[in-house]
Amino acid sequence: MIYEPLLEKQLETLLPKAYLEDENIRLFLAAVSETYGYYEHHKKLHEDSLLTSERRYLEIKEQIETAKNLEVELTEAKLYAENDANAKSDFLSVMSHEIRTPLNAIIGNVHLLQQEDPMPSQEEYLRVLQISSENLLSLINDILDFGKIEEGRIVFSARDIDIREFIYNLQAANKMRAEERGNKLTVCIDEKIPVFVRGDEVRLNQVLNNLITNAIKFTLNGHIRITMQLREVLDEELSIWFEVADDGIGIEKEKQELIFERFTQANSDITRQFGGSGLGLTIVKRLLQLQCSDIKVESEAGIGSRFSFVLSFSISDTLERPEKKLDFKLHDLQGAKILLVEDVEFNIRIAEKMLQNWKAVVDVAENGQIAIEKARANNYQLILMDLQMPVMDGYRASAAIRRTSRNVPIVALTASVSSDITEKVYEAGMNGYLSKPFNPEDLYRTVYKHVMA
Ligand code: ADP
C-alpha cells in the first residue's frame, strides 16, 4: 500500500514495521492517508484560490492606479484646455482691439475723404476702400463673436427697446447698400405690437442685421421686406415673429440645412462672387438658440428666401414714447458743445472733424483725469467717452463725472459691444454707447439724440 508521502515518512520514523502486518492498522492508515489526500487537495485548492485572488487583487490595484493616473491626466488636460481657452479669448480680444484701431482710422478717413468732393475716379476707389474695410470689420466682429458664443460667454441683457424706432434705424442703416444693388427695402410692422418691449437690443440687431445684409447681398434689383408680427401675449411676456424676405437668388432645398453650419456657404462660387465667411448664419442660429428660439428658412432657387424666427420679450412698464422730432437729414448740430475723451490721435482727428462738419464745438480730453477736470470747469451738452485710456479709463472717469454732474449725457465709444461691456457702461453711469469704428450717420444720430432731441 502506498500512503500519502508525508504519512509514509512519519510511518518510517515512528511506527515499527511489525505493526504494518496488522490488518486493522493497515485499514486505519489507509483512511488516514485518504484524509491526508483530501487535506492536501483542499490545501492546494485554497492556495490556488489565494493565488488567484492575490492576482485579481493586483489586477484591481493596477486598474485603480491606471484610473488614478487617468484622472490626474484628465485634470491636467482640463486645466490646460481652460488655460488654452482663456489664452485664446484674451488673444482674440487683444488682437481685435489692435486690428480695430487702425481699421477705425481707415474707415474714418474714407468717410472724411468722401465728404471732400472727390473726383469721380477717386469716388470709385473710395467706395471700394469703404466696402473692403467694412467687410473686414464685420469679419473681425463675426470671428470674435463666434468665439464668445462657443465659449458660452454671452449674457443677454434686458432693456426697453422702442421696437419701431429700432426697426426703422435698421432700415435706414441698410438703405444705401440696398439701393446700390437696385433693391427696395421695406418694413411692415403689426400695429398691435406695443411701443416698448424689454430685451437685448444689441443681439436682436445683430441677428436681423445679418439676415438683412444677406438678403441685400443675394438680391439684385429686387425687394427685401422686414416684417414684425405680434404672436402671443402672456402675463409678463410677449412674443414677436420676425421675417426677412427677399426675391433674390434663393437656396436649393438640399443646401438649406448646411448654410447654418460654420464656414459653410451654399456653393463654392459664393465667396468669389459675394465674399463672406459663412459665419453669419451660424451666429444667428446660436444667438437665437441661446434665447430658446430657432431660425427657419423657406427658399426656392431663383425665386427668393424667407428667414424667420419668433422671439420672446418681457412686457415693458414704459407705455408711451416721449415726443421728439428727429430730422437726421439736416446734419446740423447748431453749435452743440461736446467733450470728446479719446487718447488715440487719429481717432480724435476723425471724430473731431466729423462733429465740426456738423457745426458742433468740440473740446478734447486725452484721458479720464483731464475729462473730469474739463467737465467740472465747463458746461457740456454731451461727453463722448473712450473706454480704454492711459492714466484713467472711461468707466472710472464717467463714474466720477456722474457724482458731480448728474445730467450731462455720457456716451461710451467702444471697440466692443459685447454684453459684459455694455453692462459695465451702464453701471458706470453712462447713457449709451457707440461702437467703434462708427460711421458718420451713427455718430450723428447718437449726438443728435442726446443733444438736440
Ligand atoms: P456669408 O453670407 O458670410 O457667406 P452666412 O452664414 O451669412 O455667410 O450665409 C451662408 C450662406 O447661406 C451664404 O454664403 C449663401 O450661400 C446662403 N444664404 C444666406 N442668406 C441667403 C439669402 N438671403 N439668399 C440666398 N442665399 C443665402
Side-chain angles (χ1 to χ4, degrees):
M1 172 83 191
I2 295 165
Y3 300 115
E4 267 295 304
L6 184 61
L7 181 61
E8 195 85 49
K9 240 188 219 157
Q10 288 167 335
L11 292 180
E12 262 173 33
T13 49
L14 300 172
L15 195 73
K17 281 265 183 304
Y19 283 85
L20 291 174
E21 307 293 310
D22 188 322
E23 179 63 20
N24 287 328
I25 288 180
R26 279 216 309 277
L27 282 175
F28 170 73
L29 286 175
V32 172
S33 175
E34 201 176 337
T35 314
Y36 261 78
Y38 284 141
Y39 171 75
E40 282 300 314
H41 180 68
H42 278 117
K43 192 170 146 224
K44 191 154 178 331
L45 276 183
H46 184 65
E47 277 171 1
D48 278 357
S49 80
L50 263 182
L51 213 72
T52 317
S53 57
E54 194 166 345
R55 220 179 300 129
R56 182 87 193 106
Y57 168 76
L58 281 175
E59 267 174 30
I60 291 175
K61 203 169 147 215
E62 215 167 280
Q63 281 170 5
I64 292 174
E65 287 289 307
T66 317
K68 264 193 191 156
N69 287 342
L70 206 68
E71 195 187 328
V72 172
E73 274 171 32
L74 275 176
T75 318
E76 273 171 13
K78 185 171 163 255
L79 215 71
Y80 187 75
E82 277 168 3
N83 286 342
D84 206 37
N86 285 342
K88 196 175 103 195
S89 69
D90 286 351
F91 171 76
L92 276 178
S93 68
V94 170
M95 277 313 286
S96 86
H97 191 255
E98 294 303 307
I99 296 170
R100 274 177 215 242
T101 308
L103 206 53
N104 187 11
I106 297 172
I107 293 178
N109 277 308
V110 169
H111 284 306
L112 288 179
L113 283 172
Q114 279 169 332
Q115 285 173 21
E116 290 188 359
D117 279 334
M119 294 185 323
S121 62
Q122 290 172 331
E123 253 172 36
E124 181 55 24
Y125 295 143
L126 285 174
R127 223 178 57 80
V128 173
L129 200 55
Q130 181 201 342
I131 292 174
S132 314
S133 48
E134 281 174 0
N135 281 347
L136 184 57
L137 180 66
S138 99
L139 181 64
I140 291 168
N141 287 342
D142 275 359
I143 291 177
L144 257 180
D145 249 338
F146 185 67
K148 263 189 231 139
I149 295 173
E150 290 285 274
E151 288 158 26
R153 290 201 294 128
I154 297 262
V155 185
F156 292 91
S157 63
R159 276 181 217 298
D160 279 349
I161 311 172
D162 181 336
I163 196 82
R164 285 174 183 75
E165 186 186 71
F166 167 84
I167 290 287
Y168 289 130
N169 280 346
L170 251 178
Q171 182 190 25
N174 285 287
K175 192 163 175 267
M176 229 168 74
R177 233 173 320 147
E179 281 170 358
E180 273 172 1
R181 294 185 52 76
N183 291 320
K184 247 192 349 197
L185 178 61
T186 57
V187 164
C188 177
I189 305 175
D190 184 348
E191 285 174 4
K192 294 194 286 300
I193 298 176
V195 179
F196 286 98
V197 295
R198 279 180 80 74
D200 192 320
E201 186 172 344
V202 176
R203 297 301 166 189
L204 180 60
N205 184 66
Q206 200 176 359
V207 168
L208 284 169
N209 216 8
N210 248 312
L211 299 179
I212 297 168
T213 310
N214 275 348
I216 294 173
K217 193 158 81 172
F218 298 109
T219 307
L220 193 62
N221 301 325
H223 184 185
I224 292 134
R225 206 179 55 238
I226 312 166
T227 311
M228 281 201 307
Q229 252 174 36
L230 187 65
R231 262 296 147 89
E232 197 179 18
V233 184
L234 301 169
D235 280 349
E236 296 182 348
E237 251 188 30
L238 58 85
S239 55
I240 299 176
W241 176 78
F242 294 86
E243 186 190 67
V244 177
D246 65 61
D247 50 5
I249 64 169
I251 308 156
E252 289 159 37
K253 272 267 156 334
E254 58 275 20
K255 299 284 166 61
Q256 289 175 14
E257 279 294 312
L258 279 181
I259 54 172
F260 296 103
E261 311 254 315
R262 58 185 164 164
F263 304 114
T264 310
Q265 303 182 312
N267 64 60
S268 49
D269 271 356
I270 297 276
T271 324
R272 200 164 35 75
Q273 266 192 50
F274 302 97
S277 63
L279 264 184
L281 286 178
T282 316
I283 293 175
V284 165
K285 189 171 175 79
R286 302 257 167 110
L287 280 178
L288 289 174
Q289 274 174 343
L290 289 171
Q291 298 174 90
C292 305
S293 173
D294 201 7
I295 181 92
K296 244 179 77 181
V297 57
E298 288 166 66
S299 182
E300 211 173 308
I303 305 285
S305 315
R306 294 161 175 271
F307 286 85
S308 62
F309 60 93
V310 176
L311 202 59
S312 294
F313 297 88
S314 307
I315 292 177
S316 167
D317 296 331
T318 320
L319 299 176
E320 294 283 329
R321 183 183 307 124
E323 227 5 84
K324 60 180 173 188
K325 265 184 33 214
L326 297 185
D327 189 355
F328 296 121
K329 283 188 208 85
L330 247 51
H331 280 92
D332 185 350
L333 294 173
Q334 300 164 19
K337 218 170 157 198
I338 297 169
L339 176 64
L340 172 67
V341 191
E342 168 71 79
D343 64 313
V344 181
E345 172 78 40
F346 45 67
N347 285 350
I348 298 177
R349 203 151 41 86
I350 288 157
E352 200 176 22
K353 191 84 194 287
M354 284 180 187
L355 292 166
Q356 283 166 350
N357 280 352
W358 303 322
K359 303 191 188 70
V361 179
V362 187
D363 210 353
V364 177
E366 284 83 10
N367 64 50
Q369 187 61 50
I370 302 175
I372 298 175
E373 285 154 24
K374 290 204 164 185
R376 233 177 254 147
N378 295 281
N379 233 341
Y380 295 111
Q381 285 166 271
L382 174 69
I383 299 178
L384 294 171
M385 179 74 76
D386 184 25
L387 294 179
Q388 285 170 310
M389 283 177 297
V391 186
M392 185 188 281
D393 67 23
Y395 301 108
R396 282 173 55 210
S398 301
I401 293 171
R402 250 313 145 258
R403 279 197 286 278
T404 50
S405 15
R406 299 180 66 81
N407 295 330
V408 59
I410 309 176
V411 171
L413 301 177
T414 159
S416 159
V417 286
S418 69
S419 15
D420 34 343
I421 297 231
T422 52
E423 281 298 322
K424 270 174 77 183
V425 160
Y426 288 110
E427 258 169 40
M430 289 179 251
N431 305 68
Y433 55 84
L434 189 62
S435 73
K436 286 196 290 188
F438 36 75
N439 66 42
E441 201 59 39
D442 289 342
L443 177 65
Y444 184 77
R445 270 168 197 282
T446 308
V447 176
Y448 192 98
K449 187 170 136 193
H450 290 283
V451 173
M452 316 292 284

